[in-house]
Amino acid sequence: MGESARRAGPAGRGAAAAATAGLLEEWGRGEEAVALARTHIASARSYAETGGGLTLASFARLLARNGLADEAFDLLRPHIDDWSLAKALIDVAQGAGRDEEAAALLAARIPAGHACDSPWCCRGLEPHLAIGLLATVHERQDRVEEAVALLSTRQFTSLNGRDQLADLFARHNRIDELRSYADTEPLGHAARRLAELLEERGDVDGAITVYRQAGKASIRRGNAAVELARLLARYDRYDDAIEVMRALADAPGGAEDWIVDVLCTLYADQGRPQDALTWLDDLKARRGKEEWELFWIRLPLMAACGRVDEAVELTRAHPEGTTSYAAEHVATLLANAGRTEDAVIVLEQYAPANTGTLAGYLIDLGRIKDALALLQRTDPPPPAVPTTPLWPDEPPF
């Protein structure tokens, strides 16, 4: 590891070590990856010096994937009050044959009759998170009724766009209970899981009906519309899908960036990128400007029309065209056009701001040592506005 990495803080050293270990494992060098993880953990004088929760969780999962689940469990056990590490502990517990021990640790963190009245009520692993993890273990142990009973004590069982109770009902084909739950779950996540289950069973029309009803009842109407459009597109009903998204995007306040992105992607997937660009032009004319959140959506559409260099120049002229995130979009355009070396030239001026993407392109070019050296760097990021042009004035861009 270079001098700059050694001078960096614990988080930087841990992230660099974890990234390097991940690459070694990806290249089939699992023993070296494990050795690196162990060395880093052993050299740390405290939990903080390991690099924090996410880094330690990464090391533990690495150990478990390489036949060392028991060691991974012991590594995580003292830190169960950290949510990310508690989740990792549950993930490795099964392979270690220690589900009962994991369940006992979680149960001890669920006070009888306690209900948090604010997000800051409990220190450590909050009871509602412990309930979700314990339900996962119980389901794995074929104690499904106990898992359902646990999850039913929580007001909300959704996390990161998925509803744990709905997923449990679906996995065990308890469709009537799932239907009842979908009727009352306000975020629409249970309705989505019901629609997914119906689609898996071949009842596409039933799934469409679920999404249409959810769009009327959910507090997140846009989510149901997007899922409905994607469902229609999967069955080549692109015109219907586009109609759903146009109705949403053309409504007052409906042209949010994520909605517009889905609409334009549908146009592109149907082979109509120019129609998407025309719609974006109309939207820009109505608003009188085009913020970056909408501007970047037009770039892959232009590329699909064979206008890569024009897209690059248009980005360069945008008020935010000299930022690191703009550089990443430009690099993607170039790489997708088979111009990976040009993509690297663009991103190198922003390392380490776009480290992960740049390392990936270096690997694509066979520059493995350069990729590793980049991932081990932890120098401060460069200024937001580069002191040199984002890309050369002359081709190749």
Side-chain angles (χ1 to χ4, degrees):
M1 189 174 294
E3 180 63 27
S4 61
R6 285 193 293 270
R7 289 197 306 266
R13 290 194 297 271
T20 304
L23 282 174
L24 289 170
E25 184 186 27
E26 184 179 329
W27 298 334
R29 295 158 63 178
E31 291 185 2
E32 293 177 63
V34 168
L36 176 60
R38 283 173 164 166
T39 299
H40 179 77
I41 293 167
S43 65
R45 291 170 294 181
S46 66
Y47 165 69
E49 285 203 2
T50 64
L54 293 178
T55 298
L56 200 59
S58 175
F59 284 140
R61 290 190 171 100
L62 169 69
L63 294 173
R65 287 193 300 269
N66 287 273
L68 299 167
D70 207 55
E71 182 178 341
F73 189 96
D74 288 336
L75 174 66
L76 296 171
R77 192 184 190 284
H79 308 292
I80 193 171
D81 284 324
D82 181 310
W83 154 247
S84 61
L85 296 180
K87 176 66 170 64
L89 182 139
I90 298 310
D91 291 343
V92 306
Q94 186 176 27
R98 299 170 73 172
D99 272 347
E100 284 293 340
E101 186 177 351
L105 289 169
L106 292 167
R109 284 156 176 79
I110 305 173
H114 175 75
C116 288
D117 56 5
S118 78
W120 306 274
C121 175
C122 294
R123 296 178 179 272
L125 183 64
E126 293 125 344
H128 77 282
L129 295 176
I131 286 171
L133 294 175
L134 181 55
T136 296
V137 176
H138 281 340
E139 183 185 3
R140 212 157 60 194
Q141 296 172 310
D142 294 324
R143 297 161 62 179
V144 177
E145 295 303 330
E146 292 178 63
V148 170
L150 268 173
L151 292 174
S152 297
T153 66
R154 286 171 51 176
Q155 184 177 5
F156 295 105
T157 56
S158 290
L159 183 66
N160 297 328
R162 302 298 303 189
D163 187 282
Q164 188 175 358
L165 182 56
D167 287 340
L168 187 151
F169 284 144
R171 281 192 295 270
H172 295 276
N173 293 313
R174 297 168 68 154
I175 192 166
D176 290 338
E177 290 166 279
L178 179 54
R179 282 187 187 277
S180 297
Y181 182 49
D183 287 340
T184 60
E185 192 273 306
L187 301 179
H189 298 156
R192 180 178 66 183
R193 189 63 190 96
L194 174 59
E196 290 170 349
L197 183 60
L198 292 172
E199 183 186 1
E200 290 164 11
R201 294 181 170 190
D203 185 4
V204 176
D205 289 338
I208 290 172
T209 298
V210 168
Y211 281 132
R212 291 195 186 280
Q213 292 175 342
K216 298 174 183 177
S218 173
I219 62 175
R220 295 183 176 180
R221 180 183 175 189
N223 291 348
V226 166
E227 294 299 335
L228 173 57
R230 287 172 174 163
L231 171 64
L232 292 166
R234 284 197 292 276
Y235 293 89
D236 293 324
R237 295 174 56 177
Y238 278 97
D239 288 340
D240 292 338
I242 289 171
E243 182 181 349
V244 169
M245 294 309 301
R246 279 289 300 265
L248 183 62
D250 287 336
E256 299 180 56
D257 55 346
W258 66 285
I259 298 295
V260 173
D261 186 25
V262 173
L263 172 61
C264 291
T265 298
L266 287 170
Y267 272 124
D269 289 346
Q270 198 185 13
R272 299 165 57 189
Q274 185 56 54
D275 288 345
L277 288 170
T278 299
W279 188 88
L280 285 173
D281 290 341
D282 290 342
L283 178 64
K284 181 180 178 180
R286 291 197 302 271
R287 290 186 169 184
K289 60 180 180 178
E290 189 171 56
E291 301 86 350
W292 177 262
E293 288 73 15
L294 294 177
F295 172 82
W296 72 264
I297 296 172
R298 70 171 56 246
L299 301 179
L301 298 170
M302 295 178 69
C305 294
R307 298 159 57 188
V308 173
D309 288 337
E310 184 182 347
V312 169
E313 288 300 326
L314 193 65
T315 305
R316 184 180 187 182
H318 192 277
E320 297 178 58
T322 55
T323 58
S324 60
Y325 48 85
E328 184 142 0
H329 283 283
V330 168
T332 299
L333 289 175
L334 295 170
N336 288 343
R339 296 158 60 179
T340 306
E341 291 183 356
D342 294 341
V344 167
I345 291 172
V346 169
L347 290 179
E348 280 181 331
Q349 298 179 62
Y350 284 90
N354 299 313
T355 294
T357 305
L358 176 55
Y361 290 147
L362 290 171
I363 291 169
D364 290 342
L365 293 173
R367 296 169 57 182
I368 309 300
K369 291 183 179 179
D370 290 341
L372 283 173
L374 177 68
L375 290 169
Q376 290 173 342
R377 281 177 50 192
T378 53
D379 297 326
V385 179
T387 55
T388 57
L390 181 59
W391 41 76
D393 287 328
E394 302 297 332
F397 296 103

